[in-house]
Amino acid sequence: KYLCDKCVSRIVINDTLFCAECRARLPENSKICHPKTIARLASVTQYDAPSAKKLIWLFKYRKINAALNPLSELISTYLSNLDFDFKDYKIIPVPLHPVRLRERGFNQAEAIGKIVAEKLHLDILPDALIKIKNTKIQAETKTREGRAANVLNCFAINPARAREIVNQKIILTDDIFTSGATTLEAARILKSAGAKSIIIFTVAKGK
């Protein structure tokens, strides 16, 4: 009804992890260009693909749950394309502030996290990370520096989940990775809480 099969089939699905610092492909799925970066990036496709952008927009802003079906298939295909062992990872969605959650009615990052958890048979900790500042919408901030400042110290660890993060491998889920400010700040907080390694997982990424 909202996007034909032909449009969905034109979405180019990736087959590697990426550097979260420079967005370069990581053919060996290991940090080869920026080894000190806090996380690797797993992204299903490019955000400039019109069909992918439309699916995310329909789900996130129009609240059309039917868009989750093709998104789930895209995620499944990407995970099948990856030559990577996700054993023992735990999934943590990027949280919304309670005010924003009430406005939107759901957390798109958690919905994506549930899909990944189901596909990989992993545990999801939807309340491990909390958002303690109701920041401006990132799209309203045009510079990378401004976006980083907007989300600085906006996340915190849920004390009840703190022990479940120490020495753990984490998949941090969100819908898109553009400047990376939000997910990298969330990854920083998880790393400071003792996370062993972090992969940021999104449906799409910017260039």
Side-chain angles (χ1 to χ4, degrees):
K1 182 178 179 181
Y2 302 102
L3 203 65
C4 71
D5 290 341
K6 187 175 182 180
C7 287
V8 174
S9 69
R10 288 175 177 167
I11 297 173
V12 177
I13 301 176
N14 296 318
D15 58 6
T16 67
L17 298 179
F18 298 85
C19 174
E21 183 74 23
C22 67
R23 295 168 178 74
R25 288 168 55 88
L26 300 177
E28 302 297 327
N29 293 327
S30 59
K31 299 177 184 178
I32 55 176
C33 50
H34 291 85
K36 293 184 179 180
T37 190
I38 200 168
R40 283 169 289 178
L41 173 64
S43 252
V44 176
T45 189
Q46 299 297 122
Y47 191 51
D48 59 4
S51 297
K53 184 180 289 187
K54 185 174 182 180
L55 282 173
I56 294 169
W57 182 81
L58 287 170
F59 174 59
K60 185 174 180 179
Y61 297 111
R62 291 283 301 277
K63 303 178 183 180
I64 296 172
N65 287 330
L68 271 181
N69 295 328
L71 285 174
S72 178
E73 291 301 316
L74 293 174
I75 290 170
S76 182
T77 301
Y78 175 56
L79 292 173
S80 297
N81 289 345
L82 277 177
D83 181 19
F84 191 82
D85 184 8
F86 287 101
K87 183 182 178 182
D88 298 329
Y89 274 81
K90 292 183 178 180
I91 295 174
I92 297 179
V94 171
L96 291 176
H97 188 272
V99 171
R100 187 69 52 81
L101 183 59
R102 285 194 296 270
E103 291 172 351
R104 185 169 293 168
F106 70 102
N107 180 3
Q108 73 280 356
E110 183 175 339
I112 291 165
K114 288 178 178 178
I115 292 172
V116 177
E118 180 183 353
K119 302 293 183 185
L120 296 176
H121 309 289
L122 298 175
D123 292 333
I124 182 170
L125 307 176
D127 60 344
L129 198 61
I130 55 178
K131 193 167 186 182
I132 57 176
K133 292 183 182 179
N134 190 15
T135 56
K136 289 194 307 183
I137 296 172
Q138 285 289 72
E140 297 175 358
T141 305
K142 301 305 179 183
T143 67
R144 181 171 294 212
E145 294 77 10
R147 289 187 172 197
N150 184 43
V151 296
L152 183 64
N153 296 320
C154 73
F155 298 111
I157 302 297
N158 181 347
R161 293 291 195 181
R163 291 184 179 180
E164 298 177 74
I165 295 172
V166 177
N167 291 324
Q168 295 300 311
K169 296 185 287 186
I170 303 296
I171 298 175
L172 180 67
T173 60
D174 205 356
D175 55 344
I176 58 174
F177 186 96
T178 49
S179 73
T182 301
T183 45
L184 287 171
E185 175 64 11
R188 184 182 71 82
I189 297 300
L190 288 169
K191 197 72 174 177
S192 68
K196 183 178 181 180
S197 63
I198 301 170
I199 292 177
I200 296 168
F201 187 101
T202 65
V203 174
K205 70 176 185 69
K207 291 183 178 179

